[in-house]
Amino acid sequence: MATSKSGGLAGVVAGETAVATVGKEGVGLTYRGYSIDDLAEHATFEEVAYLLLYGEAPTRSQRDDFIADLKTLRGLPAGLKTVLEQIPGSAHPMDVLRTGCSALGTLEPEGPARDQLAVTHRLIAAFPSMLLYWYHFARDGKKIETESDDATTAGHFLRLLHQKEPEEKHRRMLDVSLILYAEHEYNASTFTARIITSTLSDFYSAITGAIGALRGPLHGGANEAAMEMIEKYASPEEAEADVMELLSNKAKIMGFGHRVYRICDPRSEIIQGWAKTLSASTGDTVLYAVSERVHAVMKREKNMFPNLDFYSASAYHFAGIPTGMFTPLFIMSRITGWAAHIFEQRANNRLIRPSADYTGPEPRAWTAVGQ
Ligand code: COA
C-alpha cells in the first residue's frame, strides 16, 4: 500500500473533487472551470459563492435572490448573543467564530427543517455579524445592530466594523480577497471538514473542525503572522537585515511557500495589486515598501514566492482591519468552499480512515505493579 514517505501526505491523491483545481502544471487555480483571474476581475464574491455551492454561475435573478436571502439571515438569535457576550475581549477572534459556529449549531441545528444549504446560507450571513457583535461588545459594551442592507458581504463586514459607510475601494478590495480565499481543493481545513463529514457527522461540526485547522500559522493564520512580522520594520533595509538573520537561523517566513504551487501562487499578484493601490491612497511610505523588499529577498535567497497571505496582510491593514480579524475573514470566505466539499463528500461518502506504519515497541508482556 502507498505511504507518504516525505510526511504530511505530500503528493498523495486523497480523493476526487469537481470543485477546484490547484496548481495543475505547477500554476493556476480554477473554481468549477473558471480561472481565478477571470473571477477576480469580473465576478463578485456572492456570485462566486453561488457558483461553488450550486455548481453553475447564477443568472442575474438567481444571484439577486441569493443576496436577498443572505440579507435576511444576518441577525443573530438572542441565545447566541448571550454566548458571545461571555467571551472575553482577550480571546482570539478565530476562537470567537469557532465558538459562535458551534453555539449556533445548538440553537439552529441541521435537520429536516434546516438542510445543508440553509445552514450554509446562514453561516455565510452570520459569521461577520458574530465576529463584530462580539468585537464591539467586548471593546466598549456596545450591542450593535448586526443587520445591514449592504448587498455585499465585504461591505456588510466593513460597515459593521467601522460603523459607517465603507469606502468603495476598500469594499472592492475585500470583495476580491473573499473571491481569492473562497476555495482551494484538499487543503488542511477542507480535508478536515471532509473527514468529519465522512463519519456522517453534522454540518456545524465539520465547519467548527475546519475553523480549528485553519487557525494555525502554517495554514490560514499565516496572514496574521505575516502582518506581525512586517509591521515591526521601520524601513526596507531593516526588513532585509532581519529576514536574512531569520533565514540564517532556518526560520520560516510567514506568507511564503506553498505545498502545491511550484512557480507562483496565482492569487498573490492580484492581492499585491490591491495592496499597492491602497498603500498609495493611504499615503503609506513604509509598509508596502517593506513588503516588496521581503518579497525580493525571499526570491533572491530562496527562490520562494509569496502566497495569498503575504500581501493580504498589508491590503487588509490599509482598509483599517485589525490584524486579529485577518484569519476570520478567511473563514467568512472559505465557508463557501468548505460547504461545496461537504456536499460533495456526502453525495459519495465513504469513511475516511487511512492506515499508519507502526514504529512502536515489539509485542511484550504486561507486568502488574501490584497494589
Ligand atoms: N520560509 C523559509 N523557508 C521555507 C518556507 C518559508 N516560508 N517554506 C518552506 N521553506 C523551506 C523549508 O524550511 C524547507 O527547507 P529544507 O528543505 O532546507 O528543510 C523547504 O522549504 C520545504 O518546506 P516544507 O515546510 O517541508 O514544505 P511544506 O510543503 O511542508 O510546507 C508550507 C508548505 C506552506 C506549510 C510552508 O511553505 C510554510 O510553512 N510556509 C509559511 C506559512 C504560510 O505562509 N502558510 C500559508 C500557506 S498558503
Side-chain angles (χ1 to χ4, degrees), residues 2-3 61 63 71 82 147 174 181 184 192 198 214 242 258 277 307 343 359-360 366:
T3 53
S61 71
R63 181 206 51 201
K71 281 194 205 172
T82 305
E147 290 179 67
L174 191 54
Y181 271 124
H184 221 214
T192 302
S198 83
L214 188 70
D242 193 50
H258 201 270
T277 303
N307 56 51
F343 302 166
T359 59
W366 179 260

Side-chain angles (χ1 to χ4, degrees), residues 217-219 222 247 251-259 298 302 304 307 309:
L218 295 190
H219 190 9
L247 290 178
K252 276 188 170 175
I253 308 301
M254 293 297 143
F256 284 85
H258 201 270
R259 172 60 67 77
M298 288 300 283
K302 302 277 289 183
M304 289 188 80
N307 56 51
D309 290 318

